[in-house]
Amino acid sequence: MQFRRALGAFSKRLRFALVVLLTTLLTALGGIVLSSAVNAQISPVASAGDATTFNRTSSAYEEAPPNLVEWETVDHDLGDEVFEEAFVSTPGTERSGLGPVFNNVSCVSCHIRNGRGMPEPGQLLLRVTDGEAAAVVDKADALKNAPPVAGLGNQVQDFSIVGETPEAKVEILWKEQAGSYADGTPYRLRSPQFNVTLANGEPLPETVQVSPRIPPHVYGLGLLEAIPEDDILALADPDDVDGDGISGRPNRVWDEQAQEVALGRFGWKANAPNLLQQSADAYVNDMGITSPMFPGEDGSAEIDQEKLVLAAAYAQTLAAPARTLMDDPQVQQGEQLFTDASCVACHVSSFRTGSHKYPALENQDIHPYTDMLLHNMGDALADNRADYEATGKEWRTPSLWGVGLAQAVLPYSGYLHDGRARTFEEAILWHGGEAESSKAAFEAMSAEDRDALVRFLQSL
């Protein structure tokens, strides 16, 4: 086992060295590669400072930061093994405890190559809330505003182990609508509709609030965890005091380990305070695997604390990809258009990280393009389901670093919380609420300008 871990660590370092060497050679030959300014200390091409990977291939999201020291690398490699473990039903010789109902069998089965998922069974899941019960909850008590649905809990598990019945059958249907840009160029958008049939053959009651979610990417998350809370809160403007139409605000959630209210950082609605809790939540809801943080009714746990910590460690120690084509005039034009359309008001480009469990992540100048805050995204994207202090119209600004590689890592993966957007253009056109003016600016652009803005996103 130790030899295998050492071999895995060596192969990752070798792969990184080969990528850097290949990048250097291609640059010398004038190929379309990374910007010639590759010095991580002087160029914004290094999206994550010293924790940047310069691998821009289909394996880009799987790299450890090159500045990890030996003990950090050991944690990363052990966490990698845990992340790939596929669980089986009880009894099993090892990795048993799956289900009895679940959405998938391992972390990597949802987060394929650590990228965003696809809107299809086994990837897309449905969070649910008892709408009738939620209507009588004290609105001041945001910790209780998502009461579970009888027989389902807070998430629909549409798979089961042999001999058991899934909680429901979920059929995904697509509704399309047409539109056009200001110059007359037509476009089509799609949105998912769900036909949910419960195990007893009955349809899901109309009073149940449903929120579809695809797996988000997991690279670079440790760096986001290391952003000082005060720096995130400094960006909040819940009452839009500055009058720019943007009123981002933090989500306040329950920290199970600390047993106190904390800043929400992760998840589509920022409903998890840290990566340890997000990992434990995924184990119990996505795989039916209990842990010390979320034990079974009898207090038992199917994974121990060490394994839970290692799963979180893997997500914490994944690098973010470098930007490319920084000197391309079209990319530069697109970046300016991105700024002019006020996209940067939510997709904030830069932070400096603070303290973290892993020192390699500390004091790094990073460019994630997120403010980590909730924003009202309008009726078109609303799920009408509250999540702690997040309303049914609010979503956390997703980070955009590395987004240009999404299709290279997993072709046909989707954008936005439910994967409805197949392209960057579609994702922008779904924006509303606080982002309505930014969407309108994009719709009004010429085809040349729209292409430039998309080219900028592809460079991230």
Side-chain angles (χ1 to χ4, degrees), residues 298-414:
D298 60 357
S300 63
E302 290 158 330
I303 59 169
D304 58 23
Q305 185 69 13
E306 180 183 7
K307 182 164 290 190
L308 178 60
V309 169
L310 285 173
Y314 181 64
Q316 289 168 322
T317 56
L318 282 169
R323 279 189 60 183
T324 188
L325 300 174
M326 296 282 290
D327 300 325
D328 186 309
Q330 187 183 32
V331 170
Q332 294 173 350
Q333 176 190 358
E335 185 168 11
Q336 185 60 56
L337 290 165
F338 188 81
T339 299
D340 293 345
S342 297
C343 302
V344 293
C346 299
H347 293 285
V348 175
S349 64
S350 303
F351 287 96
R352 184 170 179 81
T353 62
S355 62
H356 195 272
K357 171 183 176 181
Y358 293 104
L361 307 181
E362 297 180 340
N363 303 315
Q364 300 298 323
D365 291 317
I366 64 174
H367 307 280
Y369 290 90
T370 175
D371 60 5
M372 305 289 284
L373 298 173
L374 298 171
H375 293 274
N376 181 334
M377 295 300 293
D379 293 332
L381 289 178
D383 66 355
N384 300 312
R385 178 181 180 270
D387 204 334
Y388 291 109
E389 294 185 3
T391 70
K393 292 184 180 182
E394 290 180 317
W395 300 95
R396 189 203 70 160
T397 306
S399 58
L400 295 182
W401 54 2
V403 72
L405 294 166
Q407 299 301 318
V409 170
L410 182 63
Y412 307 111
S413 57

Side-chain angles (χ1 to χ4, degrees), residues 180-399:
S180 61
Y181 293 103
D183 63 6
T185 303
Y187 61 74
R188 297 191 69 83
L189 302 177
R190 66 171 189 172
S191 58
Q193 314 295 310
F194 301 96
N195 183 11
V196 181
T197 305
L198 299 175
N200 61 7
E202 297 292 324
L204 191 68
E206 293 183 359
T207 55
V208 174
Q209 299 169 347
V210 178
S211 180
R213 315 280 178 89
I214 61 167
H217 67 74
V218 295
Y219 61 86
L221 298 187
L223 292 155
L224 299 184
E225 194 173 48
I227 297 175
E229 180 173 331
D230 287 347
D231 291 352
I232 296 173
L233 297 180
L235 298 173
D237 185 15
D239 299 317
D240 192 20
V241 174
D242 61 9
D244 66 351
I246 307 298
S247 51
R249 65 192 190 95
N251 199 357
R252 290 291 180 179
V253 306
W254 185 249
D255 186 323
E256 287 287 341
Q257 187 174 44
Q259 289 292 292
E260 63 184 19
V261 174
L263 173 68
R265 290 176 182 259
F266 302 106
W268 287 107
K269 284 183 178 280
N271 65 345
N274 52 59
L275 293 170
L276 184 67
Q277 184 163 321
Q278 188 180 46
S279 298
D281 181 88
Y283 270 116
V284 72
N285 283 311
D286 299 355
M287 293 176 275
I289 300 294
T290 56
S291 68
M293 183 173 288
F294 297 118
E297 293 182 0
D298 60 357
S300 63
E302 290 158 330
I303 59 169
D304 58 23
Q305 185 69 13
E306 180 183 7
K307 182 164 290 190
L308 178 60
V309 169
L310 285 173
Y314 181 64
Q316 289 168 322
T317 56
L318 282 169
R323 279 189 60 183
T324 188
L325 300 174
M326 296 282 290
D327 300 325
D328 186 309
Q330 187 183 32
V331 170
Q332 294 173 350
Q333 176 190 358
E335 185 168 11
Q336 185 60 56
L337 290 165
F338 188 81
T339 299
D340 293 345
S342 297
C343 302
V344 293
C346 299
H347 293 285
V348 175
S349 64
S350 303
F351 287 96
R352 184 170 179 81
T353 62
S355 62
H356 195 272
K357 171 183 176 181
Y358 293 104
L361 307 181
E362 297 180 340
N363 303 315
Q364 300 298 323
D365 291 317
I366 64 174
H367 307 280
Y369 290 90
T370 175
D371 60 5
M372 305 289 284
L373 298 173
L374 298 171
H375 293 274
N376 181 334
M377 295 300 293
D379 293 332
L381 289 178
D383 66 355
N384 300 312
R385 178 181 180 270
D387 204 334
Y388 291 109
E389 294 185 3
T391 70
K393 292 184 180 182
E394 290 180 317
W395 300 95
R396 189 203 70 160
T397 306
S399 58

Side-chain angles (χ1 to χ4, degrees), residues 328-338 425 442 445-459:
D328 186 309
Q330 187 183 32
V331 170
Q332 294 173 350
Q333 176 190 358
E335 185 168 11
Q336 185 60 56
L337 290 165
F338 188 81
E425 293 94 330
F442 182 71
M445 290 179 189
S446 65
E448 178 184 352
D449 284 349
R450 295 197 303 271
D451 289 345
L453 196 150
V454 168
R455 186 66 166 160
F456 160 67
L457 294 175
Q458 292 170 338
S459 78

